[in-house]
Amino acid sequence: MKFLKNGRVAIITRGRYAGKKVVIIKVQEEGTKIHPFGHALVAGIERYPSKVTKRMSKKTVTKRSKVKPFIKAVNFNHIMPTRYTLELEGLKNIISQDTFKEPSQREDAKKTIKKALEERYTSGKNRWFFQQLRYGFTALASLAGDMDGKFFIPGYAKSTRTEREC
């Protein structure tokens, strides 16, 4: 997969994290013994930061700026790449196949990812990555995997089906 490269932002289309944004950390074209299919090691946001306004105190702002990350090995068929990229320096060394073997290593990796993502959020970079997908687009992401792009969502201009076919 030429277009699935490290740093590419993607959306997960199936499973528990469907509709969540992720950053591709490592690409495994051939697969491994544990996962015998082409997959990517990804880090994503399970719980997005809450909305912040100017009236809020510093304590409230820091509390609402928290991010809950997750790491996962995801099949290429369940990833929808976007045009965005996000360079998180140093994450390539943190996540590997060995990270998933032991829970303590997994938790340490999540903590470092959390730090990196919160730092990126507070600096104001990559705003789109830290906003939840709207419902229509979340449904679109989950439908994209189920129906091979043949769906209709009212108000979505690029639908491939007409209202009569639904």
Side-chain angles (χ1 to χ4, degrees):
M1 300 270 178
K2 291 180 185 177
F3 52 89
L4 291 176
K5 294 191 173 154
N6 299 344
R8 173 73 55 196
V9 175
I11 299 169
I12 295 185
T13 57
R14 299 252 180 112
R16 178 180 179 180
Y17 300 111
K20 302 290 183 185
K21 294 175 191 166
V22 294
V23 180
I24 296 173
I25 305 291
K26 254 184 204 167
V27 177
Q28 301 285 335
E29 294 278 339
E30 304 300 316
T32 59
K33 197 172 187 179
I34 300 165
H35 302 287
F37 47 83
H39 62 278
L41 300 178
V42 297
I45 300 177
E46 187 174 341
R47 187 170 53 235
Y48 292 93
S50 302
K51 189 177 179 182
V52 175
T53 61
K54 290 182 182 179
R55 295 183 69 173
M56 293 180 185
S57 65
K58 280 188 178 180
K59 184 180 175 185
T60 311
V61 169
T62 53
K63 195 173 185 180
R64 293 178 71 98
S65 298
K66 297 263 188 250
V67 170
K68 185 178 181 185
F70 68 90
I71 55 173
K72 193 171 170 87
V74 183
N75 190 329
F76 290 143
N77 296 333
H78 308 310
I79 294 178
M80 187 168 69
T82 63
R83 64 182 177 174
Y84 299 102
T85 56
L86 184 73
E87 290 302 321
L88 293 173
E89 299 79 24
L91 289 187
K92 293 173 190 172
N93 304 331
I94 295 166
I95 297 178
S96 66
Q97 290 294 338
D98 302 329
T99 309
F100 295 99
K101 289 180 182 174
E102 203 171 308
S104 61
Q105 285 182 333
R106 196 180 182 114
E107 292 304 316
D108 291 341
K110 280 187 196 175
K111 284 177 186 174
T112 52
I113 289 166
K114 181 177 179 160
K115 261 186 205 170
L117 289 175
E118 284 179 358
E119 199 175 289
R120 183 59 65 107
Y121 176 71
T122 52
S123 69
K125 294 179 180 176
N126 306 102
R127 287 255 182 229
W128 179 81
F129 185 72
F130 296 101
Q131 293 173 351
Q132 250 180 329
L133 284 179
R134 292 184 305 213
Y135 174 72
F137 292 104
T138 307
L140 181 71
S142 63
L143 284 173
D146 295 339
M147 301 175 73
D148 299 324
K150 296 175 185 167
F151 49 84
F152 175 78
I153 296 175
Y156 188 68
K158 295 181 181 175
S159 293
T160 56
R161 294 175 75 179
T162 62
E163 280 188 54
R164 279 187 243 138
E165 289 178 348
C166 292

